[in-house]
Amino acid sequence: MDKKLLFVYNPKAGKALIKNRLADILDIFARAGYETTVAPTQKHGDATEAVAQRQNCYDLVVCSGGDGTLDEVVTGMIRSGFNTPIGYIPAGSTNDFGGSLSLPKNMLRAAEVAVKGRNFPCDIGSFAHEEANDVFVYIAAFGLFTDVSYETAQDIKNVLGHMAYLLEGMKRLSQIRSFHVRASWENTEVEDDFIFGMITNSTSVGGFKNITGKNVKMDDGVFEVTLIKNPRNPVELNNIMLSLLNRDMDTNAMYYFRTAELTLESREPMAWTLDGENGGTHTKVTIKNVCKGIDIRVKNPPSK
């Protein structure tokens, strides 16, 4: 074996199914000619550290877990200063990014794609704020529901899957709060009260397909941005929900546009989520699209 592979996985992701698949996955790597170093994660940040501190001898980095694990791996990749192709074996509760790339849900088939697939140069996001410059793979969001995924216990996620996010969010509908935000992009500036905003590079969010708009391309150098205004009454709120579920972005209740760079400023600190993980609380962020910033292994590149 003259090829080296770093395998980073979250043993608790999803329903912890990887425990029953691990030997078969490692066998797939071996049969593809890879000498594999295995790095199971124990806590938040382990995947980032493992990838950031890897040696330059690795030909491939493969990760298994939810989108949060992938986020950590990509963050570590950027911090390392050199790029290695990434294989992804989705094993989380929703796996929006894996679905956007049409990666197999079957873990063994996804492992085959990781070692035999083609490299797809994919956009990622730079998330600059007061303290640092973070990275996200497919979504940065603020407002309604954005803290749901990392406040919902892992065990509940494992049992309920998509419903965990919805059930947790439903508890908060009576407590909707808005943020006064100034948004600036290209030659445009708007200022309004928003209950939710998402900057995405994905065909689904929270398991809902096409909620980010139509004709989404993951290597075009731009994000899809959705900013939802504060509803004045329950009827408006209901109409907003229906518009999202019906993929109808042409409404006065929200702003929807595409851009490569966006700055958001708020009067008070806003909590953010990056790929379903805690992104901190900030009053000003600048989000930039890093066009084709990483190489992801896919079976077939997403259709143009």
Side-chain angles (χ1 to χ4, degrees):
M1 296 182 183
D2 56 358
K3 297 184 293 183
K4 294 185 180 295
L5 184 156
L6 175 63
F7 181 44
V8 182
Y9 74 95
N10 180 356
K12 298 179 181 178
K15 298 179 181 179
L17 292 178
I18 193 169
K19 293 181 180 179
N20 299 322
R21 302 286 189 273
L22 186 57
D24 291 330
I25 289 172
L26 295 178
D27 183 59
I28 289 171
F29 296 163
R31 285 190 282 108
Y34 286 96
E35 178 184 337
T36 301
T37 301
V38 180
T41 63
Q42 302 298 321
K43 62 183 183 304
H44 178 74
D46 281 358
T48 295
E49 184 176 354
V51 176
Q53 295 183 357
R54 77 193 186 286
Q55 297 177 349
N56 207 355
C57 63
Y58 287 105
D59 301 282
L60 179 65
V61 173
V62 179
C63 68
S64 181
D67 290 333
T69 302
L70 177 64
D71 176 275
E72 286 196 28
V73 167
V74 171
T75 298
M77 187 74 65
I78 299 301
R79 290 182 183 176
S80 73
F82 58 94
N83 195 3
T84 303
I86 298 173
Y88 182 33
I89 303 174
S93 302
T94 53
N95 301 313
D96 288 311
F97 192 71
S100 298
L101 293 173
S102 299
L103 294 178
K105 294 181 180 180
N106 180 284
M107 298 181 73
L108 300 186
R109 292 177 183 172
E112 293 279 3
V113 171
V115 293
K116 297 179 181 179
R118 288 184 269 178
N119 291 340
F120 172 63
C122 184
D123 298 348
I124 57 174
S126 167
F127 184 84
H129 51 86
E130 300 91 337
E131 293 86 19
N133 192 347
D134 293 324
V135 174
F136 65 96
V137 178
Y138 76 97
I139 182 171
F142 70 87
L144 185 66
F145 301 159
T146 53
D147 60 350
V148 168
S149 62
Y150 55 82
E151 284 191 359
T152 304
Q154 184 66 51
D155 288 344
I156 298 176
K157 284 188 188 181
N158 291 347
V159 174
L160 298 178
H162 298 346
M163 289 301 296
Y165 300 97
L166 298 178
L167 291 175
E168 189 67 24
M170 290 283 283
K171 300 175 186 176
R172 302 168 184 230
L173 287 179
S174 62
Q175 305 172 9
I176 291 176
R177 62 175 300 189
S178 64
F179 296 90
H180 192 81
V181 177
R182 180 190 297 120
S184 308
W185 69 97
E186 298 176 1
N187 296 318
T188 304
E189 182 176 297
V190 299
E191 189 168 349
D192 213 324
D193 294 325
F194 300 103
I195 61 170
F196 177 75
M198 61 180 179
I199 297 88
T200 61
N201 187 46
S202 174
T203 60
S204 70
V205 171
F208 292 99
K209 292 185 178 297
N210 301 319
I211 201 171
T212 58
K214 300 176 181 178
N215 303 315
V216 174
K217 297 179 181 179
M218 302 176 69
D219 61 347
D220 58 2
V222 295
F223 291 119
E224 285 69 39
V225 181
T226 305
L227 302 174
I228 300 178
K229 298 180 184 179
N230 187 31
R232 291 171 293 184
N233 52 60
V235 174
E236 284 194 359
L237 175 60
N238 185 62
N239 289 337
I240 289 171
M241 296 300 183
L242 287 175
S243 295
L244 288 172
L245 292 175
N246 293 327
R247 287 72 173 171
D248 178 18
M249 304 302 185
D250 186 17
T251 169
N252 293 328
M254 66 184 76
Y255 294 93
Y256 175 78
F257 54 92
R258 289 182 168 95
T259 186
E261 182 174 340
L262 172 71
T263 297
L264 296 166
E265 301 175 78
S266 57
R267 291 177 177 174
E268 57 184 315
M270 294 193 306
W272 284 83
T273 178
L274 304 179
D275 297 329
E277 302 297 324
N278 192 340
T281 302
H282 315 288
T283 56
K284 181 179 180 179
V285 300
T286 297
I287 298 170
K288 297 181 180 179
N289 185 292
V290 182
C291 186
K292 301 181 180 179
I294 57 171
D295 289 325
I296 295 282
R297 285 283 171 89
V298 297
K299 184 175 182 179
N300 295 303
S303 58
K304 297 291 183 180

